[in-house]
Amino acid sequence: MANPSLLSLSVCLLILFHGCLASRQQGQQQNECQIDQLDALEPDNRVEYEAGMVETWDPNHEQFRCAGVAVARHTIQPNGLRLPEYSNAPTLMYIVEGEGMTGTLIPGCPETYQAPQQGQQHGQSSRFQDKHQKIQRFRKGDIIALPAGVANWCYNEGNSPVVTVTLLDVSNSQNQLDMYPRKFNLAGNPEDEFQQQQQQQSRGRRQSQQKSCNNIFCGFDTKILAEVFQVEQSLVKQLQNEKDNRGAIVKVKGDLQVIRPPRRQSERGFESEEESEYERGRRGRDNGLEETICTMKLKENIHDPSRSDIYTPEVGRITSLNSLNLPILKWLQLSAERGVLQNNALMVPHWNFNAHSIVYGCKGNAQVQVVDNFGNTVFDGEVSEGQIFVVPQNFAVVKRARGQRFEWISFKTNDRAMISPLAGSTSVLRAMPEEVLANAFQISREDARKIKFNNEQPTLSSGQSSQQMRDDA
Amino acid sequence: MANPSLLSLSVCLLILFHGCLASRQQGQQQNECQIDQLDALEPDNRVEYEAGMVETWDPNHEQFRCAGVAVARHTIQPNGLRLPEYSNAPTLMYIVEGEGMTGTLIPGCPETYQAPQQGQQHGQSSRFQDKHQKIQRFRKGDIIALPAGVANWCYNEGNSPVVTVTLLDVSNSQNQLDMYPRKFNLAGNPEDEFQQQQQQQSRGRRQSQQKSCNNIFCGFDTKILAEVFQVEQSLVKQLQNEKDNRGAIVKVKGDLQVIRPPRRQSERGFESEEESEYERGRRGRDNGLEETICTMKLKENIHDPSRSDIYTPEVGRITSLNSLNLPILKWLQLSAERGVLQNNALMVPHWNFNAHSIVYGCKGNAQVQVVDNFGNTVFDGEVSEGQIFVVPQNFAVVKRARGQRFEWISFKTNDRAMISPLAGSTSVLRAMPEEVLANAFQISREDARKIKFNNEQPTLSSGQSSQQMRDDA
Amino acid sequence: MANPSLLSLSVCLLILFHGCLASRQQGQQQNECQIDQLDALEPDNRVEYEAGMVETWDPNHEQFRCAGVAVARHTIQPNGLRLPEYSNAPTLMYIVEGEGMTGTLIPGCPETYQAPQQGQQHGQSSRFQDKHQKIQRFRKGDIIALPAGVANWCYNEGNSPVVTVTLLDVSNSQNQLDMYPRKFNLAGNPEDEFQQQQQQQSRGRRQSQQKSCNNIFCGFDTKILAEVFQVEQSLVKQLQNEKDNRGAIVKVKGDLQVIRPPRRQSERGFESEEESEYERGRRGRDNGLEETICTMKLKENIHDPSRSDIYTPEVGRITSLNSLNLPILKWLQLSAERGVLQNNALMVPHWNFNAHSIVYGCKGNAQVQVVDNFGNTVFDGEVSEGQIFVVPQNFAVVKRARGQRFEWISFKTNDRAMISPLAGSTSVLRAMPEEVLANAFQISREDARKIKFNNEQPTLSSGQSSQQMRDDA
C-alpha cells in the first residue's frame, strides 16, 4: 500500500528531476581534440575482486579526454554482487553477456516492493517484514541508464558471468566536480579502479591505497553514525568494516533473496520479459505512482533484432536508443547505437554531427577508417571484440565487417545523436544538385548522377557490388 | 498609468528572459576538485566604506574554485546606501540581519512607481514629478535573487546594521566572461573588493588602485556623456566624480525619500509583510503587467519557522528555496537551504547529488564532518557563526549542533538541488533489500533490519538516542 | 511527390533537432577575459582561391578567445562556387554585398526540388532526372544560420562579388570538440584558412600543407568508397582529386543549373523576394512537410529599413534578429543586430548583459569607446569599414558616427541578447529614484531629474543637443 505522504513526495521528485534537464557537455580544454592518431584500445588496468573484476581504460588517454568520458568493463561471476556505489558522472551500462538483477536507489522514492503483511493478519508483529525499492531484471543487450549521484547495485543470478561495459560521461553538466571519474562506495573497501591512471596527474595527493577502509561510512565518526542509525557502535563498525577485503564485487552466500514479482507462468526465457514488465507497469499504475521518477524506465533492450531501426537481410542492422525511446536519456544527454554487420558488409562513411561516438566491439572484427578535418586518416585498422575506439564529433568513419559478423555498441554524447552519411539514399551528396557535384569534383553530370543515385540503400551497404567487382577485376 | 508601448515591451521582455533559461555551471579545470582538506573559512579581505564595509573570501581558494563561486559579506550602517552596481555572475543575497529596501533595475521595464500627477490637475507643469521602477522591502531571512548583468542598490532603513551574505556563481552559464567575480559600479569610486586576491593571478595587468575614478561613467568621454544625457558637462563630471571617496556604501543625508506603497495600517512589524506584498501583486495585476519579468518575484523569506519543509520539535527545521517556490531561481540555476538544529541534534549524513553546497554559519556552532570518494574525512571540525565551508557535489556531510542551537544558510549550485540521506526514513540503505545489506556489510539480516528501520525520522535526528546512550555506557 | 517514408523521417528529424536545444557557451579558461586593451582589427590571414578569397582573423587573439568565437570574410567572384563544407561550430553568415544561392544539406531530409518526371509520361526511363534538397536565394543584408556539422555551399549568381562575414561560435555547446574552428571539406583541396594562426599553438602536429588532398574523401580507402558509392574506382579518385588546386572557391563553367522555383513574374529585384518565399512556403505545406527541420527558415534579412526595431529619422535605426523572429537561432544560441547611424548620431552607452557582441563595420567610420569593470577605457578609437571589435559581456560601449553614416553588424553570443542603456528613455538611471541618484552622485534632486528625464529618446541620440552646444560654446 502506498504511503500517501511518500506518494506526494515522489510526485514532487518528478518535478525536481525535471530541473536537472538543462544538462550538457562542458568546458573541454583548449586543444583537447588535436588528435593525430586514434587507436583501438584494450583496458589498461584490472582489479580483481572476490567474485569478479573491473577493467578500466585510462581516462587520460587523448581519445577519452577529447570525448570527455571514461570507460570500465565489469565481470561479475555467478552469485556475485557488485556493491552499491554512485558516481559523479551520469552512466550508461551495456550488458554484453549474462543476466541478473539490479537496484537503483532513488532518494525519497517509496519502498514499493514489500513482503505481505502476514504479521497483522495473525496478530504478530509485522516489524521484521522487509520492504525496499523496485528491482529490475537485466539481460544481454540491455542498456541501463544512471543519473549522476544515484546509487546502484547489481547481482548476477545466472549461471555464466555477467559482463558489462560502462560509460561515465565525466564532462556532462550533471558532474559539477572536475573531469576525474569518481566512485563513491556505500559498502566494502574497493579500490579506485581508475586511480592508477590518475596518479600521474594528481598533485601529490595522499594515496588512499594504504587506507584499509574506503567506503563512505569510513570517514564518519562511529558515535555519530550510531546515533543517526540508532544502533550499537559495534554494528556501525561493521559498516566501516576495515577487515573486508572482498572488494567491490562480493560472493553472495546462497541465493540473494529479495522481494520481486514472479516472471509470468507462460514465460520462456527472456524474450517475453518486456510484456511482463508492461504488466508490472500497470500494477504500478494501480498504486498511483505513475509518471514519477520513481517509476521511470531506466532500462531498455537494444539487442533484439525485432527492434532494429535500419535492417537489410544478409547485410546488417542498426538499433538506436535515444531520448525518444528511453526518456531518461534526455537528462543524461547520452544515447546509444547497437550495430550488426554480416558478410563483409559496410556501414557507409558518415559523420556524427552533434556527438562523439565511443565504440566498443562486442563480437567479431571490423576494418575501420576515421578521417579528420584535414582529410587525414587518423585511424585505419582492425577493431576486435573487447576493444574501444572513439570517433570524435564531425570526424568521418567507415566500418566494414571482417568476415561473417561484426557487432558493436556505440555510446554517444548527445541524447539525440544524429549521423550524416556520405553515401547511400540519405547522403549529403545526394542532397546537392548534380551541377554542384559536377563542378565541385570536376566530373561530368552523368558521373555526378552515379555518385548520387547508384547506391539506393540507407546507411548499410553489402560487401559485394557488381560495379566494384567489375572494377577490381 | 502604464504606458501601452512600455507594456508590450515588458511582455516581450518576459519572453526574452525565458531565453536565458538554458543556463548551467561551466568548464571546471582538469583537477579543480582534488580536495584533500576543507576548512571553515573567515573572510580574508575587508574594505571599509563611509557607511559600511565589504568583506570577501578569497575566490582563488581551492574550495571556492571547486564550487565555482565567490562569496562576500556586506555590512550597511543605518541610513547607508549601497550604490547601484551589477555583476558578471548571477547572485543570491541572504539577509543575515536588519531590514531595508532595494531596487533592482531591469532595462526596458516601465517606471511603475510614480508620484501623483497633481501638476496636471492644477494646470502646473508635471515635469518634475519623479517616477521609478519597483522598490522592495527586505528583512532578516530574505533571499534576493539577481540575474547576471542586472543592476541593484540597497538601503538600510532600520536602526541596526544590515548584514548580507552574497553568493556570486561565477561558473554559471550566464557569465560568459572568465571565472573572476567582477563588479561594475554605476556610481561612486569603490574598490574592487575581490581584487587583492586576484592580483597574484592577474597577468601583470595595470592595477586600478591608482585610478581615482572607478565607476562605469569614468571611462567615457565627458562630451559624449553630455550629449547623450543632454546636460551640461559640469553635471556629467559629477557622475564621474573623482573626488568621491565615500566608496561603495555611502551615508544618506536625512531619510531616503522614494515613492512606494505604504505598509498596511494594521501592519505590525514585518510578519505581515507578505500579505501586503500580495496586495501589491494584485495592484500590479490591475495595470496589466502581470506575468512579465518586470513584476517577477526576486525575493522570498526563508527564515520564518512557519515555512519549514522539515520540522521536528526540539530537534530542528529545514527550509528550502528552489525554482518551484521562487521561479527566478530556474534562470539562476541556484537554490538555498536554511537550517536550524537545536540541543545537539544532527542533520543525518547525506550527499548532494546534483549540486555543490556552500554553507554559511548564521548562529551558534556545529560539529561538521565531510567525507570524499575515498572514504577520507576531508573536514572534521567546528564551524562557527560567520564561517563558510564548501561541501562539494557527491561528498557526504554530517552536521551536529554544538549546544543549544546552530543555524546556517546553504547556497546550492542547482535550482533543484537534492540530497540523498545515508540514514533515516528516506535513506539509501533503507531502499535496498535486507539481503543486499547483509551481504554487503557481512552482517545478519536482523542487523540489516536495524540499519534500515531503527531510525524512522527523515533527515533530522535528535542528539540523544536510547540505543546510543546504552552503547556509550 | 514526397516519398512517405522520407516524410515520416523528416517529421522525426524535427523532434530530433529539438533535442539539440539545450545548447550554450562553454568553459572559458580561467583568465581569458582579463582584457586591458581592445583593438579594431583587420583580417590577418588571406587565402586566394580560383574564384575568390577567404580572409580570417586570428582566433587566438585575446578578444576572440574571450568571446569564444572565430571570424572569417569570404569574397566570391561572379560565377564562383564555395564548395560544400561543414564546421564544428554553429555559424552565422552575414551577406555584406552581392546576391546568390545557397544549399544547406540536412541529412535525412527529402530531395524536394525535382525535375518534372517527363520520362514516366513518355514511357522513357526517368532515372536521369535530377532531384536535390531545397535551395535558397540570398542577397545583401541576409543572415544565414547554420547548425554545427551541417554542410553548406554558396554560389554567386550576380554580376558583382559576394562578400560575407561569418561568425563561428566555437565555444558553443554544439561544438563538443576543442575551441579551434575546423572546416570539414566535402570537395576540393582547400587550405585550412585558420591554420596559420593555429600553428603556434598546435603541439607539433604534422601539418597538412604538404598534403595534396584535403577533403574528407581523401582519408578513405578508394576501394571502400567505390563499394559504398557503387561506382568505378576511377570515379572515386575524382572525389579525392589530388590535382585539384582551385581551392575552396571554384569557377563554374557557364551558369550553375539547378532546379528551383522561378521568381514571380511581377517581381522586380529582390524587394519582393519574401513574398515569393512565402508562396514557396505554402507549396511546402502541400507536400506535408511543414513544421519540420527540413523546411525550417535558416535565413532572414536584417538590412531592409522597413524591418527596423528602433528608428529615428535623420538619426539612425537598429534591427535585431533573435530567436523570436528566426527560431533556428534558439538552437544556435546566437543573435545579430544591424545598426545605422547618420549625421554624427550616437547609440547611447549601454552594456550587453547576457552576451558578448562582435561588431563588424559595414560602411563608414565611427568613434567607439568601451569601458571595463574598473571604469577603464579599454578602447577609444575609430572603427572603419571592414574592421572588427569585440565588446565583452557587461562591458559598456558607446558608438558615434564619424560624418554622414556608420553601418555595422553585431553578432551576439546569446539567442536573446539584451542591452541595458545608461542614458535615454530606457536607461538604468531613469529606473532609480531621484534621491538614490542624488545621494549616489552627490548632486541636487533637480540635477538628478535632468539626468533621468532630459533625454527622452530610446537608445539612439542625435549628434546635436542644444544643451551640449551651449555648454561647448
Side-chain angles (χ1 to χ4, degrees):
Chain A
M1 218 180 63
N3 180 325
S5 71
L6 286 175
L7 170 58
S8 62
L9 177 58
S10 51
V11 170
C12 170
L13 274 174
L14 168 69
I15 307 171
L16 277 166
F17 258 96
H18 269 295
C20 312
L21 198 146
S23 77
R24 71 271 115 81
Q25 271 67 28
Q26 68 186 180
Q28 288 82 8
Q29 301 297 310
Q30 197 66 25
N31 47 12
E32 214 65 301
C33 286
Q34 301 293 316
I35 289 176
D36 286 333
Q37 199 188 327
L38 297 167
D39 296 295
L41 300 169
E42 311 266 354
D44 32 31
N45 191 34
R46 173 191 293 201
V47 180
E48 304 269 358
Y49 292 130
E50 186 191 43
M53 65 176 174
V54 179
E55 296 158 294
T56 57
W57 280 259
D58 182 355
N60 292 314
H61 191 286
E62 192 175 41
Q63 290 182 40
F64 296 116
R65 285 171 69 104
C66 172
V69 301
V71 189
R73 183 166 61 198
H74 290 69
T75 304
I76 307 174
Q77 297 304 328
N79 249 11
L81 170 70
R82 185 174 57 62
L83 296 179
E85 63 179 38
Y86 61 93
S87 163
N88 59 333
T91 296
L92 287 189
M93 180 162 58
Y94 176 73
I95 311 299
V96 182
E97 294 294 342
E99 58 182 273
M101 61 175 152
T102 182
T104 301
L105 314 166
I106 301 173
C109 287
E111 291 82 36
T112 46
Y113 281 27
Q114 298 196 23
Q117 299 188 301
Q118 300 162 327
Q120 290 182 326
Q121 291 171 326
H122 302 293
Q124 300 160 1
S125 161
S126 67
R127 189 177 162 223
F128 294 106
Q129 300 302 322
D130 194 20
K131 55 180 180 176
H132 53 75
Q133 287 189 6
K134 188 174 168 182
I135 283 172
Q136 293 189 293
R137 281 200 179 85
F138 62 80
R139 62 183 171 107
K140 178 175 177 169
D142 279 346
I143 288 272
I144 300 171
L146 290 174
V150 169
N152 171 277
W153 56 266
C154 277
Y155 174 66
N156 180 352
E157 54 179 336
N159 298 317
S160 59
V162 164
V163 178
T164 67
V165 175
T166 302
L167 180 95
L168 296 101
D169 186 16
V170 286
S171 61
N172 194 289
S173 70
Q174 284 189 17
N175 175 21
Q176 296 188 1
L177 294 170
D178 53 31
M179 300 274 283
Y180 287 111
R182 291 170 199 237
K183 240 184 55 183
F184 294 79
N185 306 297
L186 290 173
N189 295 315
E191 291 183 39
D192 175 14
E193 292 120 8
F194 285 107
Q195 193 191 19
Q196 279 188 280
Q197 293 99 359
Q198 293 182 8
Q199 281 186 27
Q200 300 142 321
Q201 300 233 348
S202 71
R203 307 162 300 173
R205 57 166 294 127
R206 100 189 100 123
Q207 295 309 319
S208 63
Q209 284 161 317
Q210 302 93 310
K211 279 187 64 212
S212 50
C213 180
N214 291 327
N215 78 52
I216 206 157
F217 295 105
C218 304
F220 289 113
D221 188 73
T222 311
K223 274 171 78 175
I224 286 182
L225 290 181
E227 267 186 64
V228 296
F229 284 112
Q230 298 181 13
V231 297
E232 312 81 22
Q233 288 193 31
S234 55
L235 179 50
V236 163
K237 279 179 182 139
Q238 205 61 28
L239 300 187
Q240 303 171 322
N241 191 353
E242 295 190 17
K243 287 160 240 148
D244 186 352
N245 52 15
R246 297 171 302 163
I249 304 172
V250 305
K251 195 156 201 74
V252 168
K253 279 137 193 73
D255 267 1
L256 191 76
Q257 299 296 326
V258 300
I259 304 154
R260 58 172 169 171
R263 301 191 197 173
R264 290 199 310 181
Q265 293 282 326
S266 63
E267 201 177 323
R268 297 217 187 287
F270 272 108
E271 293 308 316
S272 50
E273 164 81 2
E274 298 316 318
E275 286 73 24
S276 88
E277 218 163 281
Y278 174 70
E279 287 224 327
R280 265 185 267 154
R282 283 196 311 185
R283 282 183 45 203
R285 216 162 282 154
D286 293 338
N287 68 14
L289 289 170
E290 74 268 58
E291 296 179 11
T292 72
I293 182 67
C294 298
T295 57
M296 174 154 254
K297 193 166 197 175
L298 300 173
K299 176 188 80 134
E300 186 57 273
N301 194 283
I302 196 176
H303 178 66
D304 293 339
S306 62
R307 290 172 184 268
S308 301
D309 293 312
I310 297 173
Y311 174 63
T312 310
E314 312 289 297
V315 171
R317 55 188 161 88
I318 288 173
T319 312
S320 292
L321 200 60
N322 54 38
S323 56
L324 295 176
N325 43 31
L326 186 59
I328 183 98
L329 295 180
K330 185 152 188 62
W331 299 339
L332 270 55
Q333 298 274 298
L334 293 170
S335 57
E337 170 197 276
R338 180 78 165 76
V340 175
L341 289 175
Q342 294 167 275
N343 307 317
N344 300 304
L346 295 123
M347 181 165 176
V348 299
H350 64 272
W351 74 89
N352 291 282
F353 74 78
N354 57 3
H356 301 294
S357 177
I358 296 93
V359 186
Y360 176 82
C362 297
K363 202 179 210 170
N365 299 304
Q367 179 190 7
V368 174
Q369 294 187 325
V370 180
V371 177
D372 75 2
N373 50 312
F374 301 112
N376 294 326
T377 315
V378 290
F379 182 68
D380 182 9
E382 184 137 337
V383 175
S384 309
E385 196 176 317
Q387 291 184 327
I388 281 186
F389 66 99
V390 170
V391 185
Q393 184 190 24
N394 290 348
F395 284 40
V397 59
V398 66
K399 296 187 197 81
R400 175 204 211 117
R402 280 246 197 260
Q404 281 301 93
R405 203 174 186 84
F406 177 64
E407 299 191 13
W408 75 92
I409 177 88
S410 290
F411 301 101
K412 303 198 173 189
T413 58
N414 192 306
D415 65 306
R416 292 176 186 183
M418 291 178 75
I419 66 167
S420 190
L422 286 164
S425 64
T426 54
S427 92
V428 67
L429 297 189
R430 194 183 173 106
M432 282 186 261
E434 276 173 17
E435 283 242 339
V436 171
L437 283 188
N439 277 285
F441 296 117
Q442 298 179 295
I443 56 180
S444 68
R445 287 192 64 151
E446 198 180 347
D447 280 346
R449 265 171 226 148
K450 288 187 195 168
I451 292 287
K452 285 184 69 170
F453 299 114
N454 268 15
N455 183 349
E456 285 282 356
Q457 286 182 299
T459 313
L460 298 177
S461 195
S462 64
Q464 304 91 337
S465 104
S466 50
Q467 289 278 7
Q468 193 255 335
M469 290 297 108
R470 232 182 295 139
D471 202 61
D472 280 356
Chain B
M1 217 181 62
N3 181 325
S5 71
L6 286 175
L7 171 57
S8 61
L9 177 58
S10 50
V11 171
C12 170
L13 274 173
L14 169 68
I15 307 170
L16 279 164
F17 259 96
H18 269 294
C20 312
L21 199 145
S23 78
R24 69 270 115 82
Q25 270 67 29
Q26 68 186 181
Q28 287 82 8
Q29 302 298 308
Q30 197 66 26
N31 47 12
E32 214 65 301
C33 286
Q34 301 292 318
I35 289 177
D36 285 334
Q37 199 187 327
L38 296 168
D39 296 295
L41 301 169
E42 310 266 354
D44 32 31
N45 190 35
R46 173 191 292 202
V47 180
E48 304 269 357
Y49 292 131
E50 187 191 43
M53 66 176 175
V54 179
E55 295 158 294
T56 56
W57 280 260
D58 182 354
N60 292 314
H61 191 286
E62 192 176 41
Q63 290 181 40
F64 296 116
R65 286 170 69 104
C66 172
V69 301
V71 188
R73 182 166 61 197
H74 289 70
T75 304
I76 308 174
Q77 296 304 330
N79 249 14
L81 171 71
R82 186 174 56 64
L83 296 178
E85 63 179 38
Y86 61 93
S87 164
N88 60 333
T91 295
L92 287 189
M93 180 162 59
Y94 176 73
I95 312 297
V96 182
E97 294 294 343
E99 59 182 274
M101 61 176 152
T102 183
T104 301
L105 314 166
I106 301 173
C109 287
E111 291 82 35
T112 47
Y113 281 28
Q114 298 196 23
Q117 299 189 301
Q118 299 162 328
Q120 290 182 325
Q121 290 171 323
H122 302 294
Q124 299 160 3
S125 160
S126 66
R127 191 179 161 221
F128 294 105
Q129 300 301 324
D130 194 21
K131 55 180 181 176
H132 53 75
Q133 287 188 7
K134 188 175 168 181
I135 283 172
Q136 293 188 296
R137 281 198 180 87
F138 63 79
R139 62 182 171 109
K140 178 176 177 169
D142 280 346
I143 289 272
I144 299 171
L146 291 173
V150 168
N152 170 276
W153 55 266
C154 277
Y155 174 65
N156 181 352
E157 54 179 337
N159 299 316
S160 60
V162 164
V163 178
T164 68
V165 175
T166 301
L167 180 95
L168 296 101
D169 187 16
V170 287
S171 62
N172 195 289
S173 69
Q174 284 190 17
N175 174 21
Q176 296 188 1
L177 293 170
D178 53 31
M179 298 275 283
Y180 287 111
R182 290 169 200 238
K183 239 184 55 182
F184 294 79
N185 307 296
L186 291 173
N189 295 315
E191 291 183 38
D192 175 14
E193 292 120 8
F194 285 106
Q195 194 191 19
Q196 279 187 280
Q197 293 100 359
Q198 294 182 7
Q199 281 187 27
Q200 300 143 319
Q201 300 234 348
S202 72
R203 308 163 300 174
R205 57 166 292 126
R206 101 190 96 123
Q207 295 309 319
S208 63
Q209 284 160 318
Q210 301 92 312
K211 279 188 65 214
S212 51
C213 180
N214 292 328
N215 77 52
I216 206 158
F217 294 105
C218 303
F220 289 113
D221 190 72
T222 312
K223 275 171 78 174
I224 287 182
L225 290 181
E227 268 186 64
V228 296
F229 284 112
Q230 298 182 13
V231 297
E232 312 82 22
Q233 289 193 30
S234 55
L235 179 50
V236 163
K237 279 180 182 137
Q238 205 61 27
L239 300 187
Q240 303 171 323
N241 193 354
E242 296 190 15
K243 286 160 241 149
D244 187 351
N245 51 17
R246 298 171 300 162
I249 303 172
V250 305
K251 194 157 202 73
V252 168
K253 279 136 194 75
D255 268 1
L256 191 76
Q257 298 297 325
V258 300
I259 304 153
R260 58 172 169 171
R263 301 190 197 173
R264 291 199 310 180
Q265 292 281 324
S266 62
E267 201 177 325
R268 296 216 188 289
F270 273 107
E271 294 307 316
S272 50
E273 165 80 1
E274 299 315 318
E275 286 72 22
S276 88
E277 218 164 281
Y278 174 71
E279 287 224 327
R280 265 185 268 154
R282 282 195 312 185
R283 280 184 46 205
R285 215 162 282 155
D286 294 337
N287 68 15
L289 290 170
E290 73 268 57
E291 295 179 13
T292 72
I293 181 66
C294 299
T295 57
M296 173 153 254
K297 193 165 197 175
L298 300 173
K299 176 188 81 130
E300 185 59 270
N301 195 284
I302 195 176
H303 178 66
D304 293 339
S306 62
R307 290 172 184 267
S308 302
D309 293 311
I310 297 172
Y311 175 62
T312 311
E314 310 289 297
V315 171
R317 55 188 161 88
I318 288 173
T319 312
S320 293
L321 200 60
N322 55 36
S323 55
L324 296 175
N325 44 31
L326 186 60
I328 183 98
L329 294 180
K330 184 152 190 62
W331 299 338
L332 270 56
Q333 298 273 297
L334 294 170
S335 56
E337 170 197 276
R338 181 77 165 77
V340 175
L341 289 175
Q342 295 167 274
N343 306 319
N344 299 304
L346 295 124
M347 181 164 176
V348 298
H350 63 272
W351 73 89
N352 290 282
F353 74 77
N354 58 2
H356 301 294
S357 177
I358 297 92
V359 186
Y360 176 83
C362 297
K363 202 179 212 169
N365 299 303
Q367 179 191 7
V368 174
Q369 293 187 324
V370 181
V371 176
D372 74 4
N373 49 311
F374 301 112
N376 294 325
T377 315
V378 290
F379 182 68
D380 182 8
E382 183 137 337
V383 175
S384 310
E385 196 177 317
Q387 291 184 327
I388 281 187
F389 67 99
V390 171
V391 184
Q393 184 191 23
N394 290 347
F395 283 40
V397 58
V398 66
K399 297 187 196 81
R400 174 203 211 116
R402 279 246 198 261
Q404 281 302 92
R405 202 174 186 84
F406 177 64
E407 300 192 11
W408 75 91
I409 178 88
S410 290
F411 301 102
K412 304 199 173 187
T413 58
N414 191 307
D415 66 305
R416 293 175 185 183
M418 292 176 76
I419 65 166
S420 190
L422 287 164
S425 65
T426 54
S427 92
V428 67
L429 297 189
R430 193 184 173 105
M432 283 187 259
E434 275 173 18
E435 282 241 340
V436 170
L437 283 188
N439 277 284
F441 296 117
Q442 297 180 294
I443 54 179
S444 68
R445 287 193 64 152
E446 198 180 348
D447 280 345
R449 267 171 225 148
K450 288 186 194 168
I451 293 287
K452 285 185 69 171
F453 299 115
N454 269 14
N455 183 350
E456 285 280 358
Q457 287 182 300
T459 313
L460 298 177
S461 195
S462 64
Q464 304 90 338
S465 103
S466 50
Q467 289 278 7
Q468 194 256 336
M469 290 297 109
R470 234 181 294 137
D471 203 61
D472 280 357
Chain C
M1 219 180 61
N3 181 325
S5 71
L6 286 175
L7 170 57
S8 61
L9 178 58
S10 51
V11 171
C12 170
L13 274 173
L14 168 69
I15 307 170
L16 279 165
F17 259 95
H18 270 294
C20 312
L21 200 147
S23 77
R24 71 271 115 84
Q25 271 66 29
Q26 67 186 181
Q28 288 82 8
Q29 301 298 310
Q30 197 66 24
N31 47 12
E32 213 65 302
C33 286
Q34 300 292 317
I35 289 177
D36 286 333
Q37 199 187 325
L38 296 167
D39 296 295
L41 300 169
E42 310 267 354
D44 31 31
N45 190 35
R46 173 191 293 201
V47 180
E48 304 269 358
Y49 293 130
E50 187 190 43
M53 64 176 176
V54 179
E55 295 158 294
T56 56
W57 281 259
D58 181 355
N60 292 314
H61 191 287
E62 191 175 42
Q63 290 181 39
F64 296 116
R65 285 171 69 104
C66 171
V69 301
V71 189
R73 183 166 61 197
H74 289 71
T75 304
I76 308 174
Q77 297 304 329
N79 249 12
L81 171 71
R82 184 174 57 64
L83 296 179
E85 62 179 39
Y86 63 92
S87 163
N88 60 333
T91 295
L92 286 190
M93 179 162 58
Y94 176 74
I95 312 297
V96 182
E97 293 294 342
E99 58 183 273
M101 61 176 153
T102 183
T104 300
L105 313 166
I106 301 173
C109 287
E111 291 83 35
T112 47
Y113 281 28
Q114 297 196 22
Q117 299 190 300
Q118 300 162 327
Q120 290 182 324
Q121 290 171 325
H122 302 293
Q124 299 159 4
S125 160
S126 66
R127 190 178 161 222
F128 294 105
Q129 299 302 322
D130 194 22
K131 56 180 180 175
H132 53 75
Q133 287 188 8
K134 188 175 168 181
I135 282 171
Q136 292 188 296
R137 281 198 179 86
F138 63 80
R139 61 183 171 107
K140 178 175 176 169
D142 280 346
I143 289 272
I144 299 171
L146 290 173
V150 168
N152 171 276
W153 55 266
C154 278
Y155 174 66
N156 181 352
E157 56 179 336
N159 299 315
S160 60
V162 164
V163 178
T164 67
V165 175
T166 302
L167 180 95
L168 296 101
D169 187 17
V170 286
S171 61
N172 195 289
S173 70
Q174 284 190 16
N175 175 20
Q176 296 187 1
L177 294 170
D178 54 30
M179 299 275 283
Y180 287 111
R182 291 170 199 238
K183 241 184 53 182
F184 295 79
N185 306 297
L186 291 173
N189 295 314
E191 290 183 39
D192 175 13
E193 292 119 8
F194 285 106
Q195 194 192 18
Q196 279 188 280
Q197 294 99 357
Q198 294 182 7
Q199 282 186 26
Q200 299 142 319
Q201 300 235 348
S202 71
R203 307 161 301 173
R205 58 166 292 126
R206 100 189 98 124
Q207 295 309 317
S208 63
Q209 284 159 318
Q210 301 93 310
K211 279 188 64 213
S212 50
C213 181
N214 292 327
N215 77 53
I216 206 156
F217 295 106
C218 303
F220 289 112
D221 189 73
T222 312
K223 275 171 78 174
I224 286 182
L225 290 181
E227 267 186 65
V228 296
F229 283 113
Q230 298 182 10
V231 296
E232 312 82 21
Q233 288 194 30
S234 55
L235 179 50
V236 164
K237 279 180 182 137
Q238 205 60 28
L239 300 188
Q240 302 171 323
N241 192 353
E242 296 190 16
K243 287 160 240 150
D244 186 351
N245 51 17
R246 298 170 300 162
I249 303 171
V250 305
K251 194 155 203 73
V252 168
K253 280 137 193 73
D255 267 2
L256 191 76
Q257 299 297 324
V258 300
I259 303 154
R260 58 172 170 171
R263 301 190 197 174
R264 292 199 310 181
Q265 292 283 324
S266 64
E267 200 178 325
R268 297 217 188 288
F270 272 107
E271 293 307 316
S272 50
E273 164 80 1
E274 299 314 318
E275 285 73 24
S276 88
E277 219 164 279
Y278 174 70
E279 287 223 327
R280 265 185 268 154
R282 283 197 310 186
R283 283 183 44 204
R285 215 162 282 155
D286 294 338
N287 69 15
L289 290 170
E290 74 269 55
E291 295 180 12
T292 71
I293 182 66
C294 299
T295 57
M296 174 153 256
K297 194 165 196 175
L298 301 173
K299 176 188 79 129
E300 185 58 272
N301 195 283
I302 196 176
H303 178 67
D304 293 339
S306 62
R307 290 174 185 266
S308 301
D309 293 311
I310 297 173
Y311 175 62
T312 311
E314 311 289 297
V315 172
R317 55 188 161 87
I318 289 173
T319 313
S320 292
L321 200 60
N322 54 37
S323 55
L324 296 176
N325 44 31
L326 186 60
I328 183 99
L329 295 180
K330 185 154 187 62
W331 299 338
L332 270 56
Q333 299 273 298
L334 293 170
S335 57
E337 170 197 277
R338 180 78 165 78
V340 175
L341 289 175
Q342 294 167 275
N343 307 317
N344 300 304
L346 296 123
M347 182 165 177
V348 298
H350 64 271
W351 73 90
N352 290 282
F353 74 78
N354 57 2
H356 301 295
S357 177
I358 296 93
V359 187
Y360 176 82
C362 297
K363 202 179 211 170
N365 299 303
Q367 179 191 6
V368 174
Q369 294 187 324
V370 180
V371 177
D372 74 3
N373 49 312
F374 301 111
N376 293 326
T377 315
V378 290
F379 183 67
D380 182 9
E382 184 138 336
V383 174
S384 309
E385 196 176 316
Q387 291 184 327
I388 281 187
F389 67 99
V390 171
V391 185
Q393 184 190 24
N394 290 347
F395 283 40
V397 59
V398 66
K399 296 187 196 82
R400 176 205 209 115
R402 279 245 198 261
Q404 281 303 93
R405 202 174 186 84
F406 177 64
E407 299 190 13
W408 75 91
I409 177 89
S410 290
F411 301 100
K412 304 199 173 187
T413 58
N414 192 306
D415 66 305
R416 292 174 186 184
M418 291 177 77
I419 66 167
S420 189
L422 287 164
S425 64
T426 54
S427 92
V428 67
L429 297 189
R430 194 184 173 105
M432 283 186 260
E434 275 173 18
E435 282 241 341
V436 170
L437 283 187
N439 277 284
F441 296 118
Q442 297 180 296
I443 55 179
S444 68
R445 288 192 64 151
E446 198 181 347
D447 280 344
R449 266 171 225 148
K450 287 187 195 167
I451 293 287
K452 285 185 70 172
F453 299 115
N454 268 14
N455 183 349
E456 285 280 357
Q457 287 182 299
T459 313
L460 298 176
S461 194
S462 65
Q464 304 89 339
S465 102
S466 49
Q467 290 279 8
Q468 193 257 335
M469 290 297 109
R470 233 181 295 138
D471 202 61
D472 280 357

